[in-house]
Amino acid sequence: MAFPVTGILDDFNRANSTTTIGSNWTALESGATKDRGISSNQAYNPDGVPNYSWLYYNVAQFGPDSECYCTIATWTTNADNHTLMVRLKDVTQDAYTFDAYMLQAGISGTDAIKIYRIDNNVNTQLGATVNPMMANGDKIGIRVVGSTITGWLEQGSGWTEQLSRTDSTYAAAGYFGFYTSDDSTWRVDDFGGGTITAPPLFLRPPMHLLAR
Amino acid sequence: MPVAWFLAPYKRRAGTISPDRYCAMDDYTASAAWTETEVLGNRAVVKVRASEVTLAAINADPDFVRLPKDALDDPLSDLSSGQKAALRNLLLDMGYTLQEIQARFGADLGDYTLRDVLRFMASRRLKPRHDRVNDTIVLDGEAQSCRDVDHVDREVV
């Protein structure tokens, strides 16, 4: 199945802000130091070090089979990463009990992409790290179908699957989320995704309708 | 290249915002193909394909335990008493009780195969949580299922 098969949910095209990226996003941690913002129609962190934040798209839950993706217009310059979450659940603010599957991508040191299972805010990496070279403008994506979680990268010539992992712990639909690194230089754009519906099986017409 | 099975620890990754743990076999990813199933006791059962030199290096790493057979259907009947005792002690160290081990394997592990032991190792794992006061990862939550060892076996050939 090609990636993605779903559309943009938030292009961040709205007025600049230093306190919010919009009402469709909720932080998993409260407090003014967890500010997020909009700059030139892209999401960013106006507060920088040491203020990071976990956000989820509160409009709907997706799945259980689902995908989400975004454009990393500018990578974080800290020793930190960008992440995407699917099947995110238990999102009570400040409880640190959320579970999810997560794609993590970063260019600090050796460029790396990893897939994690999150249990109670504890990240457990699934399988090995992969190391594609990444640059500003790349797009990252995560898809979960059944117990298969895949990580995707688009660098100007089409999406390619970078890694595939198997885990059946969290099988229900959930929210989408992403993590905002603690520096003010990164920019994220065009957050997309949705529920993946399996294509219908080819149904053979009833025998009496088949051409003789 | 040859394949081998290991019991590997999970390590805490330093310098991360959120508590982050990874299978220590990732330290050897540059020279090995591998996949894992997390099991009881903050460990993973890992199947690895690598050169004999790399497998020897992993085996020499004190954090890792190379399991005594390389194929799931290999019987344990030719293991020494000492090897079988070490395997039994490994199960105890993981957190399985003597009663659980005896109920599954009786008096002699030699009557079973590597698959039987690995499936037992993968009976369960516990959901982790973050002790924010002490900044430690604690594995004492609800029991969760492990990935099937046959699936792990098929992924690395």
Side-chain angles (χ1 to χ4, degrees), chain A residues 1-24:
Chain A
M1 191 183 354
F3 187 96
V5 296
T6 56
I8 301 295
L9 294 171
D10 193 342
D11 58 14
F12 303 113
N13 290 350
R14 44 189 171 274
N16 288 350
S17 172
T18 59
T19 58
T20 179
I21 68 168
S23 59
N24 290 341

Side-chain angles (χ1 to χ4, degrees), chain A residues 160-203:
Chain A
T160 57
E161 183 181 304
Q162 299 295 310
L163 65 171
S164 177
R165 301 290 177 258
T166 301
D167 190 276
S168 61
T169 309
Y170 301 116
Y175 293 100
F176 291 154
F178 77 97
Y179 163 78
T180 64
S181 170
D182 62 344
D183 89 83
S184 56
T185 62
W186 62 264
R187 299 291 185 271
V188 163
D189 206 352
D190 292 334
F191 185 95
T195 296
I196 297 173
T197 304
L201 296 173
F202 175 74
L203 296 175

Side-chain angles (χ1 to χ4, degrees), chain A residues 22-38:
Chain A
S23 59
N24 290 341
W25 296 91
T26 300
L28 288 168
E29 297 171 292
S30 62
T33 57
K34 304 300 182 183
D35 285 345
R36 284 65 56 189
I38 299 291

Side-chain angles (χ1 to χ4, degrees), chain B residues 52-67:
Chain B
E52 288 287 4
V53 171
T54 298
L55 292 180
I58 299 170
N59 192 39
D61 188 327
D63 292 335
F64 292 78
V65 176
R66 182 166 180 173
L67 296 168

Side-chain angles (χ1 to χ4, degrees), chain A:
Chain A
M1 191 183 354
F3 187 96
V5 296
T6 56
I8 301 295
L9 294 171
D10 193 342
D11 58 14
F12 303 113
N13 290 350
R14 44 189 171 274
N16 288 350
S17 172
T18 59
T19 58
T20 179
I21 68 168
S23 59
N24 290 341
W25 296 91
T26 300
L28 288 168
E29 297 171 292
S30 62
T33 57
K34 304 300 182 183
D35 285 345
R36 284 65 56 189
I38 299 291
S39 174
S40 302
N41 298 321
Q42 295 175 332
Y44 86 121
N45 180 349
D47 294 338
V49 177
N51 303 305
Y52 62 92
S53 190
W54 295 91
L55 300 169
Y56 72 95
Y57 187 71
N58 62 40
V59 175
Q61 298 192 52
F62 300 94
D65 294 346
S66 62
E67 63 186 19
C68 71
Y69 53 92
C70 70
T71 300
I72 311 297
T74 306
W75 286 88
T76 176
T77 54
N78 272 7
D80 206 347
N81 305 282
H82 294 275
T83 77
L84 294 169
M85 292 183 282
V86 293
R87 291 187 183 169
L88 172 63
K89 67 182 187 70
D90 297 334
V91 295
T92 304
Q93 196 173 63
D94 297 327
Y96 302 99
T97 56
F98 59 93
D99 306 322
Y101 292 110
M102 177 175 77
L103 178 92
Q104 183 189 81
I107 62 170
S108 172
T110 304
D111 295 7
I113 296 181
K114 304 165 192 169
I115 285 178
Y116 286 85
R117 184 189 66 245
I118 303 178
D119 307 283
N120 289 325
N121 186 40
V122 173
N123 303 335
T124 298
Q125 184 176 343
L126 301 178
T129 303
V130 297
N131 303 106
M133 291 292 293
M134 295 180 285
N136 290 344
D138 288 352
K139 301 175 185 178
I140 58 173
I142 181 172
R143 168 182 282 170
V144 58
V145 175
S147 59
T148 302
I149 310 109
T150 51
W152 298 76
L153 185 64
E154 203 287 324
Q155 301 184 291
S157 55
W159 288 88
T160 57
E161 183 181 304
Q162 299 295 310
L163 65 171
S164 177
R165 301 290 177 258
T166 301
D167 190 276
S168 61
T169 309
Y170 301 116
Y175 293 100
F176 291 154
F178 77 97
Y179 163 78
T180 64
S181 170
D182 62 344
D183 89 83
S184 56
T185 62
W186 62 264
R187 299 291 185 271
V188 163
D189 206 352
D190 292 334
F191 185 95
T195 296
I196 297 173
T197 304
L201 296 173
F202 175 74
L203 296 175
R204 186 187 175 109
M207 289 295 294
H208 68 280
L209 296 180
L210 290 174
R212 295 179 187 274

